[in-house]
Amino acid sequence: MINDKIIVAAADGDRQAFSKIYEEFNDMVWGLALKFTENTQVAEDGAAEIFVKLYKKIDKFDFRSSFKTWLYRFSVNTLLNFLEKEKRRYTARISDEMAEEGSPQAAQKKTDDKVLVRTLLSRIKPGEREIMILREIEGRSYKEIAEITGMKLGTVKTNIYRARESLRKVYKEETA
Amino acid sequence: MRCKKYSKKLLNRHIDNDLNEIKKADIDKHLKSCADCQSYIAEIKKIGVLLKTGLKPARRDLNNIPEGLWEKIETKLEITDGDIHLRRVKFITLRKLWVPLAAAAAAIILIVGGLGRNGNEFNADEYVSEQLDYIYGDKPMVSENYLNEDSNGTVIDMVIKGEL
């Protein structure tokens, strides 16, 4: 179990403490990387990117929310940036894999959905993205979101509505 | 033109089941006859489902974390260690430095403050007059007492002795 001491030690560059964090959360990060990529090779690169970046930025964790929640959001944002940066390579690898598997229609649709979701999330503001991840993907309640983000309950309600409006707008543009 | 009977914010709260029973029933009743609001809610729900299902990984891969992942990460951490070390040095340096810095600041305050209370107060007029004597008068710039000379009377060194 990860406690504050381990996090502080990892932030101070303690490699052993960091390996404990890896052991605890590698399945969550791996699952996320797979969700966003649908390709094991790209997912591996993405997961590695998350942990390397975490090693550098773990001191930014302010102990306001649970570490797991913070890491979840951190991972999503890192993945979106990583995939944007690696767009060309990513697309090439997906195409290769699909060619190997005979490009079934269902797989094509799944990949299209993933690409669309990534595009939608990358086109809205970081704050909106964060609140959408908490609400739509993690299924957190308004109250939980208020506790995690430190926002007032009323602000959470307004922000969820605004984030959905932004998503609706970019969805229309992307699917037009 | 979208129906204005209920705000979009309220419809979003309806989607999230965040309304009391009366309000919820009101909206449900309205939805039965309003295609506009129905379509708005359906659209928001559709995007929500897309976000959830679009990010569903293949089950066969989920429990199959690559064996070499940690080694791959560790190799990259070696490069990052320089940054971490720098962050640590900065932190320790600041932590170590604040005590001597505070002590030095206190000493300066004491010295400056002490000058005013000292019997040998600094007098600007006297100082200027003394310096003018050195330049224009007969008074040597450095007292002979402080000069080391060789047997020929050549100054070979200057030694500061006692109080200046």
Side-chain angles (χ1 to χ4, degrees):
Chain A
M1 190 70 182
I2 296 302
N3 57 34
D4 293 357
K5 259 189 184 176
I6 294 175
I7 297 167
V8 170
D12 213 18
D14 182 336
R15 191 74 68 79
Q16 214 181 345
F18 189 74
S19 73
K20 282 181 186 166
I21 291 172
Y22 171 82
E23 286 301 323
E24 180 87 10
F25 297 109
N26 62 2
D27 53 347
M28 183 186 87
V29 169
W30 174 244
L32 262 176
L34 276 174
K35 277 181 186 178
F36 276 80
T37 58
E38 187 63 14
N39 173 295
T40 49
Q41 243 188 314
V42 183
E44 191 175 337
D45 289 347
E49 174 88 359
I50 290 170
F51 279 108
V52 171
K53 206 172 162 197
L54 177 68
Y55 189 61
K56 289 182 198 170
K57 307 269 181 183
I58 194 168
D59 61 323
K60 302 280 181 263
F61 174 61
D62 60 4
F63 299 90
R64 271 174 57 200
S65 59
S66 83
F67 182 71
K68 190 177 178 179
T69 305
W70 180 83
L71 179 58
Y72 188 96
R73 281 180 281 144
F74 176 87
S75 303
V76 169
N77 288 327
T78 305
L79 275 171
L80 287 173
N81 291 334
F82 169 76
L83 291 171
E84 187 59 35
K85 202 171 68 185
E86 302 282 319
K87 214 171 192 173
R88 204 169 292 170
R89 200 151 60 103
Y90 168 81
T91 313
R93 281 197 196 177
I94 287 283
S95 308
D96 291 349
E97 194 166 274
M98 289 191 67
E100 282 168 22
E101 289 177 3
S103 306
Q105 219 170 4
Q108 176 68 58
K109 188 184 178 310
K110 206 171 181 186
T111 305
D112 287 349
D113 281 355
K114 250 178 226 303
V115 173
L116 179 59
V117 169
R118 282 201 298 109
T119 308
L120 296 182
L121 287 174
S122 65
R123 283 195 57 194
I124 58 176
K125 291 175 191 166
E128 292 176 338
R129 184 192 307 160
E130 186 175 297
I131 212 160
M132 279 295 95
I133 288 163
L134 290 169
R135 178 68 205 140
E136 305 287 26
I137 300 169
E138 280 200 75
R140 301 272 186 168
S141 70
Y142 285 180
K143 200 179 162 209
E144 284 173 326
I145 296 173
E147 280 165 9
I148 292 166
T149 58
M151 286 180 216
K152 287 180 181 168
L153 200 58
T155 313
V156 169
K157 291 175 188 182
T158 307
N159 287 355
I160 284 177
Y161 146 69
R162 283 186 184 153
R164 278 180 176 152
E165 280 299 296
S166 300
L167 269 178
R168 201 167 69 99
K169 190 175 162 237
V170 293
Y171 176 80
K172 274 185 177 171
E173 287 169 6
E174 292 295 332
T175 55
Chain B
M1 194 70 181
R2 207 194 76 81
C3 165
K4 302 275 186 208
K5 185 162 171 62
Y6 295 108
S7 69
K8 284 181 183 173
K9 189 178 170 183
L10 206 65
L11 292 178
N12 272 277
R13 287 179 59 196
H14 181 270
I15 293 167
D16 292 328
N17 211 11
D18 185 52
L19 299 172
N20 63 40
E21 287 305 313
I22 300 167
K23 200 70 172 170
K24 189 178 176 304
D26 275 355
I27 295 178
D28 282 338
K29 194 179 165 190
H30 170 72
L31 283 174
K32 280 177 188 165
S33 59
C34 181
D36 218 8
C37 290
Q38 266 181 36
S39 135
Y40 176 78
I41 285 183
E43 208 169 15
I44 295 291
K45 281 185 175 174
K46 187 181 166 185
I47 296 168
V49 169
L50 175 73
L51 289 184
K52 270 186 218 109
T53 56
L55 296 178
K56 204 174 177 184
R59 201 176 285 253
R60 67 187 154 89
D61 295 326
L62 208 53
N63 298 320
N64 200 12
I65 301 174
E67 278 180 19
L69 181 57
W70 174 247
E71 285 69 28
K72 192 175 188 174
I73 293 163
E74 259 202 320
T75 317
K76 290 182 180 175
L77 294 188
E78 300 286 344
I79 304 160
T80 312
D81 266 342
D83 297 341
I84 303 288
H85 179 69
L86 192 67
R87 189 168 78 204
R88 217 154 103 190
V89 167
K90 271 183 193 169
F91 178 68
I92 293 169
T93 310
L94 279 173
R95 202 169 47 185
K96 279 186 178 169
L97 271 181
W98 85 266
V99 174
L101 280 175
I108 290 167
I109 291 167
L110 282 174
I111 292 165
V112 173
L115 279 178
R117 289 189 290 278
N118 196 318
N120 303 319
E121 273 182 40
F122 176 74
N123 185 316
D125 289 340
E126 273 181 24
Y127 177 77
V128 172
S129 157
E130 199 177 329
Q131 295 305 309
L132 288 173
D133 277 347
Y134 285 137
I135 298 163
Y136 299 110
D138 297 330
K139 207 171 176 179
M141 288 289 278
V142 179
S143 164
E144 283 176 2
N145 293 335
Y146 300 131
L147 301 177
N148 278 341
E149 295 171 359
D150 63 9
S151 53
N152 302 322
T154 310
V155 176
I156 54 168
D157 194 10
M158 187 178 82
V159 181
I160 299 170
K161 292 175 184 172
E163 285 183 10
L164 279 173

